[in-house]
Amino acid sequence: MGDTHTDSALRKLTSAGRALHQARAITLQKGMRLALARVADESFDLPMAMIGATINTVEADALGDALNDDALLMQMDGPARMRGAATIDASLVGGIIQQQTLGTVREDDGAGRKMTRTDAAMCAPLVDNLLATVTPMLDSKADQDLLDGFRYGIKAENARTLQIGLDATEYVVLKLTVDVAQGVRQGELRLILPSLESRAHSDLDVALPEDQAKAQPQLADTLMAVHADLEMVVCRLPMTVD
């Protein structure tokens, strides 16, 4: 009877400890919420809060729903030549630009405009700093591996061009719904990154054996071995012959 009571008490303590650990664990959604507020404050002095998040895994062919030509479309460069994407809708882009240029955020008037490379340059720190801040916060190694090493690469001209450059078979789409300037605006930020399963089956992640890797020609060696003839005309001097 005493052993049964002891076992029951231990199970309750173990269950309580597990529940406490889970409550304190930094999940991907929780980490994004904490990191977004910190990064927006430190990078732009802008109050920003995540008010919703969804995570979905989709096939590459089904990414069209996550890519909108009206949004700012950015290609993300990752480790081992992997590529992902980030999209920021017009309302969120407008708030970030206004904060940096005017020092204040105004309500969204709904007027659309074509996104520019300047927009991308001014908004890229939000994405880069968000990923750099949240990755080490996460308790899950899989969540860390999903985000680690990705940074802004280039602005994509349109959704079709961006989708063509995404060559993994499967992607994780993380959509954040964001409040800007304490209710003045709301917007959406999407991170679209190759799933860990697709990376495991990708040729890009297969490392060469050490002896083969050493045998691969390096770009610098190739350039130094190229033979080039250089001819120069220093000056032209007209002369008369008597």
Side-chain angles (χ1 to χ4, degrees):
M1 196 64 185
D3 291 342
T4 302
H5 179 74
T6 301
D7 290 344
S8 177
L10 288 174
R11 283 196 296 270
K12 289 181 179 179
L13 287 173
T14 301
S15 178
R18 186 181 302 112
L20 180 61
H21 173 74
Q22 290 175 347
R24 292 178 176 177
I26 304 297
T27 62
L28 185 53
Q29 293 94 326
K30 184 176 182 180
M32 284 291 178
R33 176 172 57 80
L34 297 173
L36 181 67
R38 181 190 304 176
V39 166
D41 179 62
E42 294 177 352
S43 300
F44 308 119
D45 192 25
L46 175 62
M48 194 176 288
M50 190 187 84
I51 57 178
T54 62
I55 301 177
N56 295 298
T57 301
V58 301
E59 299 293 326
D61 293 341
L63 282 176
D65 292 340
L67 303 176
N68 186 335
D69 281 331
D70 293 332
L72 175 60
L73 305 174
M74 300 186 290
Q75 179 181 295
M76 304 294 290
D77 295 334
R81 302 196 303 276
M82 291 182 295
R83 288 190 293 271
T87 75
I88 307 177
D89 74 359
S91 181
L92 184 52
V93 170
I96 295 172
I97 299 300
Q98 286 179 0
Q99 178 66 18
Q100 294 184 78
T101 55
L102 304 176
T104 187
V105 178
R106 301 171 179 172
E107 291 186 3
D108 187 3
D109 59 7
R113 64 178 179 82
K114 183 178 177 60
M115 297 295 168
T116 67
R117 293 180 182 177
T118 300
D119 293 325
M122 296 181 73
C123 293
L126 174 67
V127 179
D128 285 350
N129 294 340
L130 177 61
L131 292 174
T133 300
V134 72
T135 300
M137 294 171 57
L138 302 174
D139 284 339
S140 168
K141 180 65 164 55
D143 289 342
Q144 291 180 356
D145 291 343
L146 176 68
L147 307 179
D148 192 29
F150 280 92
R151 291 187 60 83
Y152 168 68
I154 60 172
K155 176 190 175 296
E157 292 302 318
N158 52 57
R160 180 176 178 275
T161 301
L162 180 59
Q163 189 168 3
I164 290 174
L166 301 178
D167 51 9
T169 58
E170 185 180 70
Y171 286 84
V172 174
V173 180
L174 176 59
K175 182 178 78 171
L176 309 181
T177 303
V178 180
D179 174 89
V180 182
Q182 300 176 334
V184 176
R185 287 178 178 238
Q186 286 187 7
E188 288 184 356
L189 164 65
R190 282 185 173 92
L191 298 172
I192 304 170
L193 304 174
S195 70
L196 297 182
E197 183 176 352
S198 70
R199 300 181 200 185
H201 295 87
S202 173
D203 291 337
L204 297 178
D205 268 348
V206 178
L208 290 171
E210 185 177 353
D211 57 341
Q212 293 185 28
K214 291 180 179 179
Q216 296 297 312
Q218 300 297 313
L219 177 60
D221 296 334
T222 302
L223 291 176
M224 293 302 294
V226 173
H227 176 76
D229 293 323
L230 178 63
E231 296 183 358
M232 298 179 61
V233 177
V234 178
C235 69
R236 295 183 182 276
L237 181 63
M239 298 181 65
T240 60
V241 178
D242 293 334

